Amino acid sequence: MDSTSRWTFQVNGGKWEQFTIDNLNKYAAMKAIKGDTIVEYGDVSVDQKNRGQWHTVQIAGVFNSPIVIMGTPSFNGPHPLTLRVKDVSRTSFKWQMQEWSYLDQTHTSETISYMIVETGSWKLPDGTWFEAGKTTGTSRWRTVKFAHKFKKAPVVFSQITTQQKAKPYTTRQHYVTNKQFRVYIQAEEKQRVTENEEISWVAFDLTSRKATKQQWFRSEERRVGKECRSRWS
């Protein structure tokens, strides 16, 4: 490390601080934070007025290290878009709709669900295992290994949760097994990924046969199916 290098650090998803003795002493004196929330979810309905507009979601639960995943947007406007998240902390996160670069970057109101999961491996009362974590992504495939060994390949959701540059990106996944999966960041045609971004992910086990989970999946299937039929039939 030379004299021009600058290091920063972050505690429990909070503000990025300069790596100095004063800042280290400040956080060393803090009491340990004990979260009591594992999963939180909700939905938001907003429009995107311009490229610089970010929407803030306040987190109701108490998390130590929250992982944020945005769901699939509704279809009120036809222009293609992706969803970007940044500034995730224990109390809030910011997100925006990002149209591809050749479009005007404004978008009509859409409804999007979101999910917040505490980092780590967890087991629900019905026996369902799930796991949440982060990795660093680029235009090259990155292998992510699970801490928990699932019985079968889980369902994996991923989300870019930083923004180094104002470029619309999305994640792609493949080779999902019970031990690992691969993920990378994709740009639109004639564009390329030029920086590292943080990728958050959540993996859900699908092997539990308890009625509560099966009923939940069936109800979600009916809801999504009804939505698709009403819009595209």
Side-chain angles (χ1 to χ4, degrees):
M1 182 177 70
D2 59 39
S3 60
T4 62
S5 298
R6 291 186 178 182
W7 289 59
T8 59
F9 69 97
Q10 185 186 41
V11 177
N12 288 318
K15 178 183 176 183
W16 286 95
E17 300 279 8
Q18 294 297 319
F19 199 85
T20 65
I21 295 297
D22 289 341
N23 284 336
L24 289 173
N25 288 336
K26 177 177 68 175
Y27 284 98
M30 291 177 61
K31 294 182 178 180
I33 299 170
K34 295 183 178 180
D36 61 4
T37 310
I38 303 301
V39 177
E40 180 177 318
Y41 57 90
D43 56 71
V44 288
S45 298
V46 296
D47 59 359
Q48 190 68 41
K49 293 181 172 57
N50 54 60
R51 186 193 298 270
Q53 182 186 28
W54 288 87
H55 313 286
T56 300
V57 174
Q58 301 296 328
I59 298 176
V62 181
F63 291 87
N64 286 327
S65 181
I67 298 296
V68 175
I69 304 292
M70 302 299 293
T72 303
S74 58
F75 194 79
N76 296 324
H79 288 170
L81 59 83
T82 185
L83 303 172
R84 194 63 159 266
V85 173
K86 72 171 186 176
D87 296 347
V88 179
S89 73
R90 297 181 60 249
T91 58
S92 66
F93 65 90
K94 295 179 180 180
W95 72 278
Q96 68 174 198
M97 291 182 280
Q98 295 183 342
E99 292 187 346
W100 295 129
S101 299
Y102 66 89
L103 297 169
D104 61 9
Q105 308 306 311
T106 64
H107 199 90
T108 190
S109 180
E110 303 284 4
T111 299
I112 302 105
S113 299
Y114 64 86
M115 172 174 56
I116 309 168
V117 181
E118 176 65 27
T119 299
S121 298
W122 310 98
K123 186 178 182 181
L124 295 177
D126 72 349
T128 300
W129 279 94
F130 61 99
E131 186 173 328
K134 298 177 182 178
T135 188
T136 301
T138 66
S139 58
R140 295 178 179 273
W141 287 104
R142 174 66 58 88
T143 299
V144 178
K145 295 184 178 181
F146 301 124
H148 171 74
K149 184 178 179 180
F150 294 96
K151 293 181 179 179
K152 294 183 179 180
V155 172
V156 178
F157 303 89
S158 59
Q159 171 71 56
I160 301 174
T161 46
T162 55
Q163 177 160 283
Q164 308 298 334
K165 294 183 180 180
K167 295 180 179 180
Y169 295 148
T170 189
T171 58
R172 299 296 297 270
Q173 302 165 189
H174 73 165
Y175 295 143
V176 180
T177 73
N178 65 326
K179 297 180 180 180
Q180 62 186 36
F181 70 97
R182 300 183 73 190
V183 63
Y184 88 112
I185 297 175
Q186 185 179 52
E188 62 185 300
E189 289 187 21
K190 298 184 179 180
Q191 302 287 338
R192 63 189 183 92
V193 179
T194 58
E195 63 280 337
N196 295 334
E197 298 285 1
E198 178 183 87
I199 300 176
S200 297
W201 56 268
V202 177
F204 279 94
D205 173 30
L206 292 180
T207 59
S208 172
R209 296 185 178 180
K210 293 295 182 74
T212 53
K213 192 178 70 160
Q214 296 302 321
Q215 290 170 355
W216 183 87
F217 275 105
R218 284 197 295 270
S219 67
E220 285 298 290
E221 182 181 14
R222 287 194 296 270
R223 181 185 67 81
V224 173
K226 181 178 179 181
E227 176 74 9
C228 290
R229 287 192 297 273
S230 66
R231 292 187 180 278
W232 282 282
S233 59

